Amino acid sequence: MNQMPSTEETYWILDPDQISCLASAPRMTIIDRLAADGPMSVDDLARVIGMKQTAMYHHVHKLESVGLIQAAERRLMPGARKPQTLYATPAPRMRLARALNQKQHRETLKRCAAAVLRQAERDFADGFALGGIHEGPERNHGFFRLIARPDAAALAEINEHLQAIADILWRSNTPTGAPVALSWAMAPLSDDTDPRTQEGPTR
């Protein structure tokens, strides 16, 4: 499926083929890099992501075929015979959030979430090799997990903060800043945890 470039700041990913295409950590990373850093060639992407060019061509072709990326311009490198195609995302903000409200996407979105978390594991491991700042206001390396019982007002506040964090990252994306990856997952849990509400063993 090919779509025209979006004129909006945010591109909402709702097409089933597009969502299925993103159930892949490398393809999500390509989308994130292009959205953050602007048009890049396959060579550029392979270098910054650390992937072989042959594999990168495969993923780029998949993303382009469903309209998640598009050819933005052509660039002729010194000494090269043919110009390189530079790819870009349809909008600077590529989002899946609205698809969560549509039941037909649930199985595919579970695979997308798994891809995000697999990539987060790799990002976190790579952070040690890069010497992340572990303390202080400029910390760029860490993780966090907590189980709580927020009420509706607290959930609203949490979601406002999560949106504010995303807005800060989008707003502060500058050529001079060092790249960071932020991944998060929130999910409702079973409430069958109180032993007082559970039947004892049958004797």
Side-chain angles (χ1 to χ4, degrees):
M1 171 188 170
N2 292 308
Q3 294 189 353
M4 295 297 292
S6 172
T7 57
E8 303 295 329
E9 190 79 0
T10 301
Y11 185 99
W12 295 101
I13 302 168
L14 294 168
D15 181 86
D17 291 337
Q18 292 183 336
I19 297 171
S20 181
C21 187
L22 287 180
S24 157
R27 290 199 278 274
M28 279 200 173
T29 302
I30 291 168
I31 290 286
D32 291 339
R33 279 289 187 169
L34 289 177
D37 297 332
M40 284 194 279
S41 68
V42 169
D43 290 349
D44 296 332
L45 288 164
R47 184 177 63 257
V48 299
I49 295 174
M51 184 183 296
K52 292 182 178 179
Q53 281 189 1
T54 51
M56 184 59 66
Y57 274 110
H58 167 75
H59 291 302
V60 165
H61 173 73
K62 287 276 190 181
L63 290 164
E64 188 178 23
S65 70
V66 297
L68 285 172
I69 65 173
Q70 58 214 4
E73 57 186 278
R74 305 272 282 175
R75 176 182 67 189
L76 184 63
M77 298 296 289
R81 295 181 179 179
K82 296 181 179 179
Q84 293 181 323
T85 299
L86 303 186
Y87 295 93
T89 53
R93 301 182 182 188
M94 304 289 288
R95 301 201 62 189
L96 278 164
R98 289 182 180 173
L100 288 169
N101 298 323
Q102 300 182 2
K103 290 184 178 180
Q104 69 268 28
H105 297 314
R106 285 183 177 177
E107 291 302 315
T108 311
L109 286 171
K110 285 193 288 186
R111 293 191 286 118
C112 288
V116 168
L117 297 175
R118 284 196 305 272
Q119 187 59 48
E121 179 185 13
R122 296 187 190 107
D123 294 337
F124 186 78
D126 289 345
F128 284 117
L130 294 171
I133 300 170
H134 297 281
E135 298 294 338
E138 294 183 4
R139 181 177 65 175
N140 61 2
H141 196 200
F143 69 95
F144 181 79
R145 186 173 189 269
L146 176 67
I147 294 176
R149 291 176 176 269
D151 59 17
L155 272 174
E157 186 178 2
I158 289 166
N159 280 294
E160 285 178 9
H161 284 297
L162 289 171
Q163 183 60 50
I165 290 168
D167 288 337
I168 291 168
L169 288 169
W170 280 316
R171 186 175 66 247
S172 65
N173 188 35
T174 63
T176 57
V180 297
L182 176 66
S183 306
W184 66 268
M186 178 167 58
L189 299 178
S190 168
D191 203 24
D192 297 332
T193 55
D194 190 339
R196 294 171 296 180
T197 65
Q198 300 177 15
E199 298 181 0
T202 302
R203 295 184 181 178

